[in-house]
Amino acid sequence: MILRAIAALGFALPLAASGATDTIFADGFEIRLDAPPNRAEASRFLAQSTFGASEADLDALVASGYRTWLDRQMQEPPNYMLPHMRHAEGTADPLRPLPFWRFCVAWFVNVLGGEDQLRQRVAFALSEILVVSERGNALGNDGLALGAYYDILLRNAFGNYRQLLEDVTLSPAMGRYLSMYRNRKPDPANNIQADENYAREVMQLFSIGLVKLNRDGTPVLVGGRTVPTYDGDVVRGFARVFTGWACHCGQGQQCPEDPFQQENFTCSTEHAMVPFEPYHDRGEKRLLDGSVLPAGRDARPELDAALELLFRHPNVAPFVSRQLIQRLVTSNPSPAYVDRVATVFEDNGSGVRGDLGATVRAILLDPEARSGHRTAPATFGKVREPLLRLTQLWRAFEVTWKDDMLMYDDLNIQDRYNQAALQSPSVFNFFAPDHTPGPPLAAGMVAPEMQAISANVAIHMTNDLSGRIYWGWLGGPMDALDPGARVIDLARWEQLIRPVPGAAEAPPGTLDALLDRCNDLLLGGQMSGSLRQRIRSRLLSIPPAETLLRVQNVLYLITTSAEYAVQR
């Protein structure tokens, strides 16, 4: 059955226009692409494009339609990290160091309360592709550099990938993380070689990958074998391109004339690195597919030429498109899905390559994104990232907090969920896009997020969700204990099943109404009959007057279920 479903992933879905309405017909289902037909479909879309939706968000999307919602989201002003961090720290000084915990707080404030939900979600996806991490000696506790880096991702979330690639390359955070910062030209007399770290990762992870790809993301095969995109000589060529760069020194900063010769000085980790020509390699360089950069060029034009070469490589469109699909929609997109999105990446319809806004639209409005749960139920979807399990619960039940103080949760999410923004264990993220555990391997599928979920992590997540549901509610024990705690509001849900005065039980159908609404909100209307029956039986065992406990049991049994663990 699974193998048949995998084969079916290559389906072609005919588009039929009825006035302004785009409709697809798949396996007997008529699915409108202009607007969700109900709250369940709205919930599925918002699970793919936000950090979680409230019931009000579902109703608003049903009323507006997908395209209008996307238009509005892309016009929302960005909620950046550094302004929030500086305001909370009580400083306007651009050089003042900021502790990393300020970033942790700002990240949760923005993803939970920000109106720019799509931008925040896409930036988070990009942070898992173009990885920088606080973990490690290079950036430990440097909230200024890391906040500035995340703001690059937010600023470019709907911009052009070429600009994003340049901004990332010249970011002081990336420069220090992958050692392009103060990378020197080769000097054999002093046993100095150009550092190859960034040169390798900008190709392997940020742009073209290890093997040549067709536009649909499948590998190019020659004689039955894959074809490498580059070799060691190409890495060494790019390493020499990325020489001569150090941090920016602006007005009021105590910077030496030669930062390559002095360790301890104050300079900006917010602004892009700048070139120092004496340390740039001006020799001829051989790069991708026989391309040659002639000798005698300055650092800036050479960097531009090298990044343009990477950006124009045919691998970039499928390589980036597939990973964005995986982060937002499904772990195993069909080649046809990747091809459709990569086509938009290559040309947004106006001759522009690398338009991320157009690419994100194509991902979310693709027929496979909107109907894959019906046409390929055995293979469509993705394991929900650990952190997203928590944010969806919080946003669905209107999390509130009383101030912007340091919260224990913000610093310890990593310990309980094995995932937190800009805290991956390495440049390879919390999980690799092609990670394949056990059974999916036999079916030719991948399940990237499972690399971050061990047995211990699964237990920690379950216990943590339990604590937040049974203790972390508005007016509950956690709220009383910690005045700054994030708590969910369950009063409205209690009211739904509260018995009328003088009655022993709530009106008939109220428990089913509660299950229906939670099913739409948390599971996109896809709760199985067996899960529904187990939850209903549990509710009937709880006295009707215990409305809070009934609501809490519904949330706990859904959010710790295998069905909630998979986003479809």
Side-chain angles (χ1 to χ4, degrees):
M1 175 180 176
I2 291 178
L3 293 178
R4 287 199 302 272
I6 291 173
L9 278 173
F11 58 81
L13 298 177
L15 294 176
S18 176
T21 300
D22 291 334
T23 304
I24 59 173
F25 300 93
D27 288 1
F29 293 101
E30 180 178 339
I31 302 167
R32 293 174 58 190
L33 292 181
D34 63 327
N38 50 48
R39 294 167 118 213
E41 287 301 316
S43 178
R44 286 190 59 252
F45 180 88
L46 293 175
Q48 296 166 354
S49 57
T50 74
F51 281 92
S54 67
E55 284 199 302
D57 294 329
L58 303 187
D59 292 337
L61 179 58
V62 170
S64 70
Y66 297 129
R67 291 181 176 85
T68 298
W69 185 89
L70 288 169
D71 289 342
R72 291 172 179 168
Q73 281 291 301
M74 291 187 182
Q75 292 165 7
E76 279 286 343
N79 282 289
Y80 289 121
M81 297 296 163
L82 281 184
H84 182 101
M85 294 166 67
R86 287 187 171 124
H87 176 76
E89 189 75 2
T91 182
D93 182 356
L95 293 181
R96 178 169 168 176
L98 298 170
F100 182 66
W101 68 262
R102 286 289 186 199
F103 171 82
C104 298
V105 174
W107 189 85
F108 276 109
V109 168
N110 285 352
V111 304
L112 295 178
E115 294 296 325
D116 57 333
Q117 277 291 298
L118 180 61
R119 183 183 297 275
Q120 296 290 335
R121 181 67 186 272
V122 172
F124 183 61
L126 291 171
S127 78
E128 297 181 313
I129 300 171
L130 303 118
V131 174
V132 157
S133 178
E134 188 268 348
R135 296 173 68 178
N137 294 328
L139 291 167
N141 201 36
D142 190 343
L144 178 57
L146 290 163
Y149 184 79
Y150 207 87
D151 282 349
I152 288 173
L153 306 181
L154 289 164
R155 183 171 64 250
N156 289 289
F158 308 137
N160 195 281
Y161 199 76
R162 170 64 176 82
Q163 186 64 54
L164 174 62
L165 196 60
E166 179 175 320
D167 290 353
V168 162
T169 299
L170 296 180
S171 160
M174 181 61 78
R176 287 162 55 193
Y177 187 60
L178 292 182
S179 51
M180 177 182 154
Y181 171 68
R182 299 203 307 182
N183 183 21
R184 302 183 181 207
K185 64 184 178 182
D187 182 358
N190 291 297
N191 198 28
I192 294 175
Q193 299 295 323
D195 191 288
E196 299 176 4
N197 202 7
Y198 186 70
R200 183 176 293 106
E201 307 308 353
V202 73
M203 291 190 288
Q204 178 181 349
L205 301 177
F206 303 167
S207 59
I208 62 175
L210 293 173
V211 300
K212 292 188 176 182
L213 301 173
N214 297 305
R215 193 173 60 187
D216 64 6
T218 58
V220 171
L221 299 178
V222 176
R225 296 187 177 184
T226 59
V227 181
T229 49
Y230 60 88
D231 58 19
D233 289 338
V234 173
V235 172
R236 286 184 283 274
F238 272 99
R240 292 168 53 214
V241 168
F242 299 129
T243 54
W245 294 85
C247 67
H248 175 275
C249 298
Q251 185 176 6
Q253 297 174 320
Q254 298 178 358
C255 296
E257 292 184 6
D258 188 349
F260 282 76
Q261 297 296 331
Q262 185 174 340
E263 286 287 345
N264 299 315
F265 58 89
T266 302
C267 67
S268 174
T269 56
E270 177 183 356
H271 298 97
M273 294 188 294
V274 295
F276 291 81
E277 295 299 340
Y279 297 93
H280 175 64
D281 186 325
R282 300 176 69 83
E284 181 183 274
K285 302 170 184 72
R286 296 188 177 274
L287 303 180
L288 284 170
D289 300 327
S291 298
V292 175
L293 294 184
R297 303 181 78 181
D298 288 348
R300 179 81 233 192
E302 193 155 82
L303 180 92
D304 289 341
L307 293 181
E308 191 69 16
L309 183 63
L310 287 175
F311 175 66
R312 294 291 170 184
H313 193 281
N315 265 33
V316 174
F319 186 75
V320 174
S321 297
R322 176 175 177 266
Q323 290 194 70
L324 285 174
I325 293 170
Q326 287 183 306
R327 299 282 54 78
L328 300 176
V329 176
T330 182
S331 295
N332 296 277
S334 69
Y337 186 6
V338 174
D339 185 73
R340 290 190 292 268
V341 174
T343 298
V344 173
F345 185 100
E346 290 180 344
D347 185 342
N348 67 353
S350 299
V352 177
R353 177 181 177 84
D355 182 342
L356 287 173
T359 301
V360 169
R361 283 178 184 271
I363 289 170
L364 294 173
L365 295 179
D366 190 85
E368 196 164 315
R370 305 276 45 87
S371 65
H373 61 306
R374 290 195 176 106
T375 56
T379 58
F380 179 83
K382 62 192 289 290
V383 173
R384 205 183 299 271
E385 294 181 46
L387 196 54
L388 296 182
R389 302 189 197 191
L390 176 59
T391 62
Q392 178 163 2
L393 171 70
W394 267 342
R395 282 184 52 83
F397 295 92
E398 298 170 338
V399 65
T400 61
W401 60 94
K402 296 182 178 65
D403 52 40
D404 191 30
M405 63 190 288
L406 169 62
M407 299 177 192
Y408 176 78
D409 276 343
D410 296 331
L411 297 182
N412 292 275
I413 289 294
Q414 171 74 30
D415 296 336
R416 296 176 227 170
Y417 288 80
N418 201 28
Q419 187 184 25
L422 298 192
Q423 295 183 60
S424 69
S426 76
V427 72
F428 296 100
N429 190 31
F430 302 97
F431 39 78
D434 293 319
H435 177 69
T436 305
L441 177 62
M445 298 188 298
V446 300
E449 297 82 1
M450 288 302 295
Q451 191 171 8
I453 305 174
S454 65
N456 282 340
V457 170
I459 293 170
H460 282 309
M461 282 194 294
T462 300
N463 290 340
D464 190 73
L465 289 168
S466 173
R468 297 179 192 283
I469 291 167
Y470 289 105
W471 292 82
W473 46 277
L474 189 61
M478 190 182 297
D479 193 20
L481 182 65
D482 181 358
R486 293 195 174 95
V487 291
I488 54 178
D489 188 354
L490 301 180
R492 180 167 58 88
W493 299 86
E494 281 190 79
Q495 188 62 38
L496 181 65
I497 58 171
R498 194 180 304 281
V500 298
E505 177 64 272
T510 54
L511 288 184
D512 286 317
L514 173 65
L515 289 176
D516 287 343
R517 288 167 67 170
C518 289
N519 179 21
D520 285 348
L521 189 55
L522 296 174
L523 295 173
Q526 299 173 83
M527 182 186 294
S528 68
S530 59
L531 178 58
R532 186 185 185 94
Q533 184 56 46
R534 287 197 298 272
I535 297 175
R536 203 173 191 285
S537 296
R538 174 59 183 160
L539 295 184
L540 292 174
S541 73
I542 299 172
E546 298 287 342
T547 54
L548 175 61
L549 187 59
R550 280 184 161 188
V551 171
Q552 289 170 326
N553 270 259
V554 172
L555 301 193
Y556 175 74
L557 291 172
I558 289 178
T559 59
T560 60
S561 70
E563 294 178 27
Y564 181 72
V566 178
Q567 172 191 303
R568 296 186 187 280

